Amino acid sequence: MSADIRLIATDLDGTLLDENGEVSPANAEALADAVAAGITVCIATGRSHASASRFARELGIGDSIVISYNGAMVRRVAEDEPLLHVPVDAGLASAIVHHCISERLHLDYFIDDNLYVTHVDYWARLYLARTGDMPIPVGDLRQFDGRTPTKLLVSADPDLVKDLFPREQARWAGKLFVTHSLPEYIEYLNPEATKGSALQWLAAHLQIQMEQVMGMGDQLNDLPMLRFAGIGVAVANAPQMVRQAADAVTDRNDEDGVGKAIEKYCF
């Protein structure tokens, strides 16, 4: 089975990357075959642009466009200025900072492609280990009041996140896009900043029809991308909600699921 796919967008963590945070040879080969066939390959991730760009360069697509920060930024790997940037409103960002201080929650504050934290603790070190983004301790994040960050992210124990997530969605309903990427994370973005809306923008920018787009992911933050893409593919390790929303399910991330989906739907 194959379709006229001209654009592939793939998530990183839990999708393209294996459990060691690496791209398997089979997945890398499939992406290289897609590029050789004239298909545009785009990384679409909740990570920062800098973190995502490292993988783009390793895959030999350093001239490509990356969707980062869960869709809040669309930017060419080698360029400093984004093609699209949809930051969080300054007032809402300030409210999140003050809320997290009162609730004693660890908060990552992303602005100007830098990651700021109050201090470097377990959660900051975990994020660094996972993404390579160096946390910059600044003591008090309230000094950024009035600024418009690209994204804010709360890190906490997965059990706490499971309880906190629906309450945070309700708290900011209609004001922010609150999503869930990994078990320890709650992410806060502009309501117009989703992987789906960014993918739509990118397809239009490249003059590609959405029916010619394949999106691949594994978590709730990937749902908008899977729904908007002509073919939305979930990896088998995705939660049931994500698998049910996808057009197709491929093998797990540690079983070369991305490569197998590319082979099936692009060739």
Side-chain angles (χ1 to χ4, degrees):
M1 178 181 180
S2 62
D4 182 25
I5 299 300
R6 308 310 308 157
L7 172 61
I8 295 171
T10 177
D11 172 52
L12 285 176
D13 298 285
T15 304
L16 178 62
L17 305 184
D18 61 21
E19 299 308 308
N20 295 317
E22 299 176 351
V23 181
S24 72
N27 281 346
E29 182 178 358
L31 290 171
D33 289 344
V35 171
I39 300 172
T40 299
V41 173
C42 168
I43 290 172
T45 179
R47 294 188 184 210
S48 69
H49 176 81
S51 180
S53 295
R54 175 170 63 86
F55 288 97
R57 285 188 285 267
E58 289 177 2
L59 290 166
I61 51 173
D63 58 346
S64 67
I65 298 173
V66 164
I67 294 172
S68 57
Y69 298 106
N70 271 326
M73 184 176 290
V74 181
R75 179 173 157 191
R76 291 191 179 278
V77 172
E79 295 183 1
D80 293 332
E81 293 300 318
L83 298 168
L84 177 72
H85 186 208
V86 189
V88 177
D89 171 80
L92 291 170
S94 176
I96 293 169
V97 169
H98 288 248
H99 169 62
C100 289
I101 290 173
S102 66
E103 297 294 323
R104 298 180 180 272
L105 294 169
H106 174 91
L107 182 66
D108 292 338
Y109 193 104
F110 296 87
I111 191 167
D112 298 331
D113 220 27
N114 289 315
L115 164 57
Y116 296 97
V117 296
T118 57
H119 61 283
V120 177
D121 59 4
Y122 167 81
W123 297 113
R125 290 191 292 270
L126 177 63
Y127 198 86
L128 170 62
R130 284 177 169 171
T131 68
D133 284 333
M134 181 64 67
I136 303 171
V138 293
D140 190 346
L141 292 173
R142 288 173 293 190
Q143 66 185 276
F144 293 117
D145 283 0
R147 302 288 299 277
T148 54
T150 305
K151 184 181 81 169
L152 300 103
L153 182 148
V154 162
S155 299
D157 181 84
D159 289 336
L160 175 58
V161 168
K162 187 176 181 180
D163 175 66
L164 187 61
F165 180 60
R167 290 192 279 125
E168 289 299 282
Q169 283 190 309
R171 173 186 290 272
W172 307 104
K175 299 177 181 178
L176 292 165
F177 174 49
V178 179
T179 190
H180 188 45
S181 54
L182 288 175
E184 299 88 355
Y185 299 157
I186 300 174
E187 309 201 16
Y188 304 79
L189 299 118
N190 185 300
E192 297 180 8
T194 72
K195 290 188 182 184
S197 58
L199 187 59
Q200 281 187 305
W201 184 93
L202 178 58
H205 178 75
L206 297 174
Q207 298 183 318
I208 295 173
Q209 300 298 314
M210 289 305 294
E211 304 85 62
Q212 298 174 301
V213 177
M214 181 167 72
M216 293 181 281
D218 74 306
Q219 285 293 341
L220 297 184
N221 62 321
D222 295 311
L223 280 176
M225 176 172 67
L226 300 187
R227 288 170 174 155
F228 280 120
I231 300 177
V233 180
V235 285
N237 50 285
Q240 183 178 6
M241 177 188 295
V242 178
R243 298 197 308 272
Q244 289 177 337
D247 298 306
V249 177
T250 186
D251 286 351
R252 294 176 53 86
N253 66 313
D254 53 2
E255 297 174 344
D256 306 323
V258 165
K260 292 173 182 176
I262 291 173
E263 178 67 27
K264 181 175 183 179
Y265 295 107
C266 298
F267 299 107

